[in-house]
Amino acid sequence: MTKALIAMSGGVDSSVAAYLTQNNGVACIGATMKLHPTPPQSEDAAAIARRLGMPFHVLDFQKEFRQYVMDAFVQDYENGLTPNPCVVCNQKLKFGYLMDGATELGCEYVVTGHYARVAQVAATGRWVLKKALDKGKDQSYFLYGLTQAQLSRILFPLGELTKDAVRQIALEQGFVNAKKKDSQDVCFIPDGDYPAFMTRHTGKTYPGGDFLDRDGNVVGRHKGAVCYTVGQRKGLGLAMGEPVYVCGKDMDKNTVTVGPNEALMHTTLRADRWFWHTIPELTVPMRVLAKARSRMTEQPATVYPEENGFARVEFDQPQRALTPGQAVVLYDGDTVVGGGTITEIL
């Protein structure tokens, strides 16, 4: 009998994923990952597991989460980047260490409540990631960094469903979390105050410095370059007669450059740490649809291979606030071609 480990967060999505997997005749084991010292959301997850009659485990990955997600998050911000911790967590924790745990428990598959789909291409045998049918909930952008081996062992039962349908299933089953709100924030910074988290995490204080205009003139004082992201307008405290936005940061000099919205428009980026899905590697230029932020609509672009694993993405039209540290994900229709981490804006 097929066995699967269900990653259960205590939310409605993973609970319905567990129910649907079990309904398909799969032997299921529930598991919640304990990622940081605050009490895990395991009570609801354990209740659902009991309701479904499946074994349940809490797996302690605090050390790994701190190293690969929290420490890396701080390091990226200190280096002037804008990191994407959910991408790293999916890659390293949910489909890395958790998949190792699944193997130890004798499970062939890992099941999560992500809104995405996995398919195998008959002609090439390659596993590909596809968008969910509910485009408003699609999470393929955050899942691009999965390997062929990982994709071959993943089940996404919610990929063909809408969020409304998922909640309806939970209500019909009497799940305690049927009406639970979705979490929106980075899980280890629920209040969204990144600078305060960084100070708590590192014990460091981040000194203030100069705001500069695009000509290098000092136009004000900032609270520390780590506190700002490219494209930010709110919270700058500058009166310059027109709206200004963060256009760049120099972490060595602790300066933040501001300018008008048009200064944020660029057509070309370079990225590394690529994961390719539809192809083994990029060897020739390819037409794609690309998105460089999770909430951005994909835009027509061409991706060009470069040396040492880099690739260059040139959009047909200028895009706003392309940001080093963020992911750029490439699509062919509903299928993820690949994705990488933005290193510079050209």
Side-chain angles (χ1 to χ4, degrees):
M1 190 179 194
T2 303
K3 286 180 71 175
L5 187 71
I6 319 292
M8 301 181 73
S9 65
V12 65
D13 292 331
S14 58
S15 300
V16 171
Y19 166 74
L20 293 172
T21 305
Q22 191 178 63
N23 255 23
N24 279 337
V26 177
C28 297
I29 299 174
T32 291
M33 297 189 297
K34 183 174 174 61
L35 300 178
H36 30 85
T38 54
Q41 295 291 313
S42 57
E43 292 83 1
D44 285 352
I48 299 296
R50 281 196 303 272
R51 169 93 166 67
L52 296 172
M54 62 176 65
F56 179 75
H57 300 266
V58 176
L59 303 178
D60 190 340
F61 295 135
Q62 292 180 81
K63 185 180 73 170
E64 294 83 357
F65 187 77
R66 183 181 179 93
Q67 176 185 349
Y68 288 110
V69 180
M70 298 167 81
D71 289 352
F73 178 91
V74 170
Q75 188 173 29
D76 279 353
Y77 260 110
E78 289 181 343
N79 289 333
L81 304 173
T82 302
N84 206 320
C86 296
V87 169
V88 180
C89 185
N90 284 330
Q91 190 181 12
K92 296 285 190 182
L93 275 295
K94 286 179 184 158
F95 302 106
Y97 287 102
L98 187 66
M99 193 166 275
D100 292 341
T103 302
E104 289 174 13
L105 290 166
C107 297
E108 296 100 311
Y109 293 98
V110 168
V111 177
T112 73
H114 284 100
Y115 287 82
R117 294 177 291 162
V118 175
Q120 189 173 27
V121 180
T124 63
R126 290 187 67 80
W127 292 90
V128 294
L129 183 66
K130 299 173 78 74
K131 285 184 180 180
L133 290 192
D134 186 338
K135 297 301 186 283
K137 295 297 295 180
D138 173 60
Q139 293 170 295
S140 59
Y141 174 87
F142 297 103
L143 294 163
Y144 79 87
L146 300 179
T147 65
Q148 288 290 292
Q150 289 169 333
L151 287 170
S152 71
R153 296 183 59 195
I154 292 170
L155 300 176
F156 292 136
L158 309 190
E160 307 277 345
L161 299 176
T162 64
K163 181 72 181 201
D164 289 344
V166 168
R167 285 208 183 275
Q168 186 59 39
I169 291 169
L171 285 166
E172 289 169 359
Q173 294 304 312
F175 288 172
V176 293
N177 54 14
K179 296 183 179 180
K180 194 174 187 178
K181 287 185 178 179
D182 293 345
S183 59
Q184 302 291 341
D185 301 301
V186 173
C187 69
F188 56 92
I189 316 177
D191 62 359
D193 190 341
Y194 296 176
F197 160 76
M198 291 173 64
T199 296
R200 286 195 307 272
H201 188 73
T202 64
K204 298 178 185 176
T205 53
Y206 296 95
D210 291 329
F211 276 122
L212 307 178
D213 65 17
R214 288 194 292 168
D215 295 322
N217 302 308
V218 176
V219 295
R221 291 286 293 176
H222 65 67
K223 298 174 183 176
V226 297
C227 301
Y228 304 89
T229 57
V230 172
Q232 180 176 337
R233 177 184 174 186
K234 291 182 179 178
L236 302 185
L238 296 173
M240 297 183 66
E242 62 174 359
V244 292
Y245 305 81
V246 174
C247 299
K249 303 191 291 184
D250 186 323
M251 304 308 290
D252 291 333
K253 297 178 180 176
N254 194 27
T255 59
V256 177
T257 300
V258 298
N261 191 56
E262 56 263 29
L264 292 169
M265 305 302 289
H266 296 88
T267 56
T268 307
L269 61 83
R270 179 171 286 129
D272 70 351
R273 288 184 274 167
W274 284 90
F275 289 79
W276 299 104
H277 293 208
T278 58
I279 53 176
E281 62 178 323
L282 184 72
T283 56
V284 295
M286 181 187 292
R287 287 292 290 170
V288 292
L289 295 170
K291 62 191 294 186
R293 288 185 308 282
S294 62
R295 293 178 183 164
M296 173 182 174
T297 302
E298 302 97 89
Q299 299 295 321
T302 304
V303 58
Y304 297 87
E306 294 191 341
E307 292 182 348
N308 301 319
F310 283 82
R312 187 176 77 256
V313 178
E314 294 186 4
F315 290 92
D316 292 6
Q317 301 293 328
Q319 304 299 318
R320 185 182 184 279
L322 301 174
T323 308
Q326 287 286 290
V328 57
V329 181
L330 314 179
Y331 292 85
D332 176 6
D334 277 357
T335 302
V336 174
V337 172
T341 302
I342 300 171
T343 56
E344 60 181 315
I345 311 304
L346 306 175

